[in-house]
Amino acid sequence: KTEYAEKAERVFELMKEIELSHGLYPVFVANTKERPFFATNIISFGSFADSIYEYMLKIWLQGGKVENMYREMWDRSVQGMHDHLLLKSTPSGLRYIAGLKPNTAQDKKENTLAYDRSMDHLACFMGGALALGAYTDPKGFDSFRAQRDLQTAKALAYTCYQMYARSKSGLSSDNIKFDRKHENDFRITSDRPYYILRPETVETLYILHHLTKDPIYREWGWEIFQSIECFCRTDAAYGSLADVNLPGDGPEDRMESFFLAETLKYFYLLFNPDNELDLLNKHVFNTEAHPIRTFPDLEKQQNDRRQCTNTQSNC
């Protein structure tokens, strides 16, 4: 029913009305006044914020690339991310998306923000999203913007792979902290050392392989899959790790539903060369990894069926 679409679209229209000049969205919105307003100045591409950015691009793709408001919001946010949040680690120069938080330093100026030099595993979805945005850029794939976004996508994918490769289990913690004085670029945060079978890195590896055909993304994915098999598999299913640097403790008696719905699905697609998905012309994944046909492809399919019915031919 169109009423559901209109209600969902209205949310984005309201976000567009209150968007900030840099195109980035604080993680909380309040609706206690005449119009919604941002209830915090914390900005992140991780928890509480990831899906709004992802859907800006994917709604535009699903609708046949004609609803320009969504693409404009996406491009504005990506520009803001490059201008304000995309940082480089020391000493290896790993690219990562930082956050912004209220400045708590004693010498702070009123209402100023400071970098939160950490990155959630959730933010690893941006590698795939940026690649999709680059390949479908209205300015053209060879434009400066598209090529910049693709290079950032590849750099973020490598950082997310390193989040796995540098732990003792070969699995990523839920959050890492980038320390300019740390010899290893980043450290695992003490409050989130766990791995709960998240899909975002595998999602990015699948999308980048699908678009670029570079075999390195399969190689990285295979390493991650082997670590899951080694440290998370049980007789019944798969379990989370409480600490990725203590793999000897074994998996927990707990498996998130997104492991089956998303993580394993993206692994399957990454290693299956014969799937019929076409992310540039026919399909788009929602945030829960369900492949959905784009509206133009659905319309074409319906027209083909009508033609078959009218001609009474075996289509």
Side-chain angles (χ1 to χ4, degrees):
K1 292 185 178 181
T2 57
E3 63 182 290
Y4 300 127
E6 291 170 356
K7 290 182 183 299
E9 289 168 351
R10 181 57 180 154
V11 174
F12 275 93
E13 291 167 358
L14 289 170
M15 291 300 98
K16 175 69 175 174
E17 290 175 11
I18 65 173
E19 71 178 352
L20 303 178
S21 59
H22 47 49
L24 302 172
Y25 290 79
V27 298
F28 294 116
V29 176
N31 193 29
T32 57
K33 297 182 179 179
E34 184 175 343
R35 58 180 298 191
F37 61 95
F38 294 116
T40 181
N41 50 15
I42 296 173
I43 290 175
S44 168
F45 272 75
S47 55
F48 301 110
D50 50 336
S51 293
I52 187 172
Y53 298 109
E54 185 174 359
Y55 271 134
M56 289 173 188
L57 176 65
K58 290 186 173 181
I59 292 173
W60 178 72
L61 292 172
Q62 183 188 25
K65 307 173 188 174
V66 296
E67 299 168 287
N68 292 331
M69 181 189 78
Y70 299 107
R71 179 75 207 204
E72 290 168 1
M73 291 174 73
W74 165 258
D75 288 327
R76 192 180 185 88
S77 294
V78 170
Q79 186 63 51
M81 182 269 293
H82 277 98
D83 291 343
H84 301 288
L85 301 182
L86 188 66
L87 301 181
K88 187 182 292 187
S89 73
T90 303
S92 302
L94 299 176
R95 288 288 189 179
Y96 68 98
I97 304 175
L100 291 176
K101 61 183 180 180
N103 192 343
T104 57
Q106 291 183 350
D107 59 347
K108 71 175 182 178
K109 296 180 180 179
E110 187 177 0
N111 296 324
T112 60
L113 297 175
Y115 278 122
D116 176 4
R117 296 180 183 272
S118 65
M119 190 169 82
D120 286 352
H121 187 283
L122 284 166
C124 287
F125 86 93
M126 274 296 288
L130 283 167
L132 272 176
Y135 273 81
T136 59
D137 196 313
K139 291 187 175 183
F141 180 63
D142 292 328
S143 66
F144 169 81
R145 184 174 71 182
Q147 289 300 306
R148 177 204 63 182
D149 291 354
L150 181 59
Q151 291 305 310
T152 301
K154 293 178 177 180
L156 289 174
Y158 181 69
T159 298
C160 292
Y161 163 67
Q162 289 298 318
M163 290 168 65
Y164 285 78
R166 297 190 186 191
S167 78
K168 292 181 180 179
S169 63
L171 298 169
S172 173
S173 63
D174 211 50
N175 177 272
I176 55 172
K177 185 79 172 180
F178 289 86
D179 189 337
R180 284 172 288 184
K181 299 179 181 179
H182 199 283
E183 61 182 13
N184 197 38
D185 295 288
F186 61 81
R187 57 182 172 82
I188 295 171
T189 53
S190 59
D191 60 331
R192 295 167 68 184
Y194 46 81
Y195 171 68
I196 56 173
L197 307 165
R198 285 200 187 277
E200 291 79 19
T201 295
V202 188
E203 173 187 357
T204 277
L205 297 181
Y206 160 65
I207 293 172
L208 276 167
H209 181 266
H210 179 85
L211 297 175
T212 69
K213 310 305 180 188
D214 189 335
I216 191 63
Y217 300 115
R218 276 184 170 171
E219 294 176 17
W220 294 349
W222 183 243
E223 289 180 28
I224 295 170
F225 181 75
Q226 287 180 308
S227 294
I228 293 173
E229 284 288 293
C230 182
F231 296 113
C232 299
R233 186 167 183 167
T234 72
D235 292 338
Y238 291 79
S240 305
L241 282 187
D243 190 322
V244 296
N245 279 334
L246 296 173
D249 290 351
E252 298 179 302
D253 186 18
R254 169 173 170 249
M255 184 181 77
E256 298 284 351
S257 62
F258 53 65
F259 178 65
L260 296 178
E262 300 182 62
T263 310
L264 285 184
K265 184 184 296 180
Y266 284 126
F267 271 128
Y268 173 79
L269 293 172
L270 176 62
F271 299 127
N272 174 23
D274 300 321
N275 72 78
E276 298 180 0
L277 291 173
D278 181 353
L279 299 186
L280 295 181
N281 301 294
K282 295 182 178 181
H283 304 98
V284 61
F285 283 94
N286 70 5
T287 60
E288 306 306 318
H290 301 306
I292 301 170
R293 287 183 179 272
T294 61
F295 293 164
D297 189 59
L298 279 173
E299 184 176 357
K300 180 181 181 301
Q301 185 183 57
Q302 291 169 353
N303 289 337
D304 289 345
R305 287 176 178 171
R306 290 192 195 100
Q307 186 175 5
C308 289
T309 301
N310 293 335
T311 60
Q312 296 183 343
S313 59
N314 295 321
C315 299

